[in-house]
Structures are given as structure tokens and as C-alpha cells.
Amino acid sequence: MLAAELLYDAKAILGEGPVWDTDKGELMWVDIERGELHFTRPETGTDRKMELGAKVGMAVPTKDGKILVALENGLAFIGDDGTPEIFADPEAGLPNNRFNDGKCAPDGRLWVGSMDMDYETNENAGSLYRLDADLTLTRCLTEITVSNGMAWAPDGRTMYYIDSPTYTVAAFDYELQNGRISRRRTIIEVPGEHGAPDGMSIDVEGMLWIAHWDGGNV
């Protein structure tokens, strides 16, 4: 049995999207509902935060030292003063939608999904997007309800994806040259009593780790 250790007692409302920054030796994560971006140092147990002024679904560091965040009102870079500089808002015509989870693929492309904030009554209102290095944003999947966890196989040629209310994990063939996905299939069906699959990661052995909403880690 695995044991969990408390790293930092943040008392977050909705803490998600952990990303380890190797260069800085800190864990970057978000509190979606509070619109906060956190930086936690495990060796000291200390934490600092930025208040972004909008709900934030995920954040990743970029190669040039910036931070890219997915907000309820678009994708943005964090400026030197901590102010988000929005560069894309593909769902401006859907004011009740917000971005949720996202992750960088092994090729460096960012994948991020959206959802309706009233997803229980407005199903299939979200989409999954791919952001290329030139900041071209492409809608790759539609009719998503709660876009969540993503992971890639160790060789980068399989992408795993969760739309939480489906209680499944889907797999796609992934083309590293252009970021295209194809041949969608279901690889895991989660029993309802285990909770809805949410965030996801993968280890060096190619084993998926999935956090279950109202469940646990399986």
C-alpha cells in the first residue's frame, strides 16, 4: 500500500495541475476557483502565489522563462509584473465556458481543454485544443463535457485523455512530427463507485496514475 505525505497544507478550494519545474526545484500548481498560481518548494515546505484575477485551469513554464496559463477568459502569458497577457480566446462566444486541465506533449506542444461551468446541465460544450510553437491554436476534439487528464506513452506515440463524465480513459495514436491524433479507442472503463477519472500522469514504466474525483488514486 502506498502512503501519501502532506507536502504543503494549502487549504485550496480546487487545487490541480501540478508541474515540476526542474530548473527552479519547485512545484507549480493552481487553485482554480481562487484564480491562484502557486509555487511550492518541497525542501522547505514554503509556498508563494500569484493572484491572476480569473479562474485558472493550468499553468506550464516555457523554454524562455515565461509561464503560460489557461484562464477562464483565454490563454495567456504571465508578465513580469504578474499580470496575464491574453493572446488567444477561442471560446469568447461561450461566456460560461472556461479552460480546465492541460499539459505539454513530449514534442513541446501544449494541449488544453475546456468545459461549461454548468457542465451537469450543459454537456458536450467543451473542446480540446492543441497549441503549436508558433502559437497557432487548433481545435482537435469537440463535444467534450469536462476535459481533464492527459498523458503520453514513454515513446510519445500514444496519447491518453480523460473526459471525466465518460468514466473512461481514451487512447489516440500521436504523431510527434505534427501533433495529430487519430484512432481513438477506450482503454480503461472506470466503475462508477470508484469516482470519476480526473487528473492523470504516467511513470517511466508506462503505467498511468489517475486521480479520481470522489474516489482515490488507482
Side-chain angles (χ1 to χ4, degrees):
M1 181 70 95
L2 296 176
E5 178 183 351
L6 178 64
L7 177 64
Y8 173 70
D9 190 6
K11 295 181 172 59
I13 296 177
L14 189 56
E16 293 201 11
V19 176
W20 179 253
D21 189 325
T22 304
D23 294 335
K24 296 182 179 179
E26 60 187 15
L27 187 72
M28 182 186 303
W29 58 277
V30 301
D31 186 341
I32 294 177
E33 293 296 327
R34 287 196 175 111
E36 294 175 349
L37 174 58
H38 287 256
F39 308 85
T40 304
R41 290 187 171 271
E43 74 276 11
T44 61
T46 56
D47 179 84
R48 62 186 177 90
K49 68 180 179 182
M50 291 181 178
E51 296 182 356
L52 304 181
K55 292 180 181 179
V56 53
M58 51 75 63
V60 292
T62 66
K63 290 175 68 175
D64 58 4
K66 296 179 182 179
I67 300 173
L68 195 161
V69 296
L71 302 173
E72 62 182 292
N73 54 343
L75 301 178
F77 290 111
I78 301 298
D80 293 337
D81 61 355
T83 301
E85 302 166 356
I86 294 176
F87 64 86
D89 187 8
E91 300 194 347
L94 299 170
N96 209 46
N97 273 23
R98 68 167 175 83
F99 279 110
N100 199 43
D101 206 355
K103 194 171 289 184
C104 285
D107 55 22
R109 294 178 172 90
L110 176 71
W111 289 76
V112 61
S114 64
M115 57 178 281
D116 191 299
M117 287 184 277
D118 294 324
Y119 66 89
E120 292 180 338
T121 55
N122 295 320
E123 298 179 352
N124 302 325
S127 297
L128 179 67
Y129 298 86
R130 185 190 72 230
L131 182 69
D132 293 327
D134 62 359
L135 300 187
T136 298
L137 190 64
T138 303
R139 181 184 277 110
C140 297
L141 293 177
T142 59
E143 297 188 351
I144 302 298
T145 300
V146 181
S147 188
N148 253 316
M150 300 168 217
W152 283 261
D155 65 3
R157 299 187 181 280
T158 303
M159 174 180 168
Y160 303 103
Y161 177 64
I162 291 171
D163 179 3
S164 291
T166 67
Y167 283 79
T168 63
V169 178
F172 298 84
D173 290 349
Y174 191 82
E175 297 182 39
L176 290 165
Q177 314 94 295
N178 51 38
R180 291 176 184 161
I181 54 175
S182 60
R183 207 169 68 86
R184 182 174 186 164
R185 64 267 187 198
T186 297
I187 61 163
I188 299 174
E189 295 183 359
V190 179
E193 63 269 22
H194 288 183
D198 195 320
M200 178 168 58
S201 190
I202 196 167
D203 62 26
V204 293
E205 297 178 345
M207 304 296 288
L208 293 172
W209 292 73
I210 304 168
H212 289 214
W213 185 270
D214 278 342
N217 292 309
V218 180

